[in-house]
Amino acid sequence: MARLAGVSPITVSRALREPHKVSDKLRETILNVVEEIGYVPNFAARALASRHSGVVAVLGPILEMSGFFHAAKGIEERFQSSDVSTQFANIGLNAAEEAKQLSLFVAQNPAGIILESVAEFPVNRALIAEIDCPVVQMMDTSLEPLDMGVGIRHRSAAAAAVEHLLSKGYERIAMLGGGKDIRSRRRFEGYRDVLSKAGTYDPALIFDAEDGNPLEQGIIMLHRMRERRPDIDAVFCHDDELALGVYFGAQQLGLRVPEELGICGYNGLAFADMADPPLTSIYVPLYEIGYKAAEMIMHFMSEGVRPEAAVELPFGLIEGRSTRR
């Protein structure tokens, strides 16, 4: 194929693996040859030559976290322009399942592993330390990655949400949602930090969500909250779906948003804009985190270079009318 394209084999490999490193014209020439001859990568030969299969394993709580879809899309789109393929595995929030899937993938000599949950399961850190391929954690960057990492600081992001609510004149701010994972714990810490400094932190204003549909849970939690503490005038929700459920619950109870109840979500998903009024939310660059994780694998494969520390991406506050008194 290199001869037909009039380039070296290295250039062909680079065009398929790292297309941004060759000119548009050259890449188009090579792709035309690929299409003409019906080229299909020989994964078995590649595994022997490069000691890996050309497959990147992506492990995470795929079915438990709705935001994972956006990170997965970023991963897929980065690898789409290369000859690297992906395999996804749902590990939930289960240390044994994480260890099982890691062992299965490692036996296949993967080109890399992108992992969501290792911070939750210290028992698996020794296993990952023995893996002979790059590992990227999509993580809270307050932690030190075992190999490479990318993410945001959820404590700071949650603090920004609560500071925003205070700046709008809300005084009794509840937190709805929660969980045992590191991101949930960091969000709680950010919430507690700001309200403790303001002298208004009250553990009684924290309401944990149960398993189930987050929209339904938001409605249920708002009804429960109003029965216990009708004086609450704002809520900070752990994700946008829960916040949207709270909004529906407010409609049922006849509460005016944002005058009587301010609502702030988390993740900045597109559907939050479709509420009326549009929801305020913390934008988490989920797509960019996934894309960067894949980029780090590709960079290591081509250059053999790892970042010295976890890559921290910026979050942002999207102010909708749900908190604009």
Side-chain angles (χ1 to χ4, degrees), residues 112-194:
I113 294 174
I114 297 175
L115 188 59
E116 178 86 17
S117 298
V118 68
E120 305 308 314
F121 314 126
V123 67
N124 290 334
R125 292 181 184 178
L127 173 61
I128 293 172
E130 297 298 321
I131 294 176
D132 189 24
C133 72
V135 177
V136 180
Q137 292 168 247
M138 295 187 292
M139 59 186 293
D140 187 289
T141 53
S142 64
L143 303 174
E144 183 177 348
L146 298 178
D147 185 4
M148 295 184 281
V150 57
I152 71 164
R153 289 186 180 262
H154 290 265
R155 186 171 188 163
S156 299
V162 181
E163 287 170 351
H164 168 75
L165 291 169
L166 287 174
S167 74
K168 295 300 179 181
Y170 296 105
E171 298 177 351
R172 292 166 296 282
I173 302 169
M175 184 175 74
L176 306 187
K180 297 180 180 180
D181 63 289
I182 189 68
R183 295 164 184 78
S184 296
R185 296 201 300 271
R186 291 291 186 262
R187 290 173 203 171
F188 160 71
E189 290 165 0
Y191 166 87
R192 181 196 59 197
D193 291 348
V194 173

Side-chain angles (χ1 to χ4, degrees), residues 200-278:
T200 58
Y201 173 66
D202 182 354
L205 301 188
I206 299 171
F207 297 82
D208 292 331
E210 298 176 2
D211 292 335
N213 185 300
L215 289 174
E216 182 180 2
Q217 283 298 309
I219 295 172
I220 293 171
M221 292 177 72
L222 181 64
H223 281 263
R224 186 186 305 156
M225 182 190 82
R226 292 293 295 179
E227 290 174 1
R228 296 181 188 176
R229 293 293 300 266
D231 59 327
I232 289 172
D233 60 1
V235 293
F236 167 51
C237 300
H238 268 245
D239 61 67
D240 290 334
E241 289 177 302
L242 191 64
L244 195 58
V246 170
Y247 174 71
F248 291 152
Q251 287 183 319
Q252 293 177 358
L253 294 173
L255 290 173
R256 292 177 300 139
V257 177
E259 292 83 1
E260 295 177 281
L261 183 71
I263 305 173
C264 181
Y266 199 92
N267 281 332
L269 301 182
F271 68 76
D273 290 337
M274 300 176 68
D276 186 18

Side-chain angles (χ1 to χ4, degrees), residues 1 5 12 16 27-41:
M1 184 173 66
V12 172
L16 295 176
R27 183 169 64 252
E28 184 177 355
T29 298
I30 293 171
L31 292 178
N32 285 338
V33 173
V34 168
E35 185 175 355
E36 287 175 11
I37 68 175
Y39 169 74
V40 176

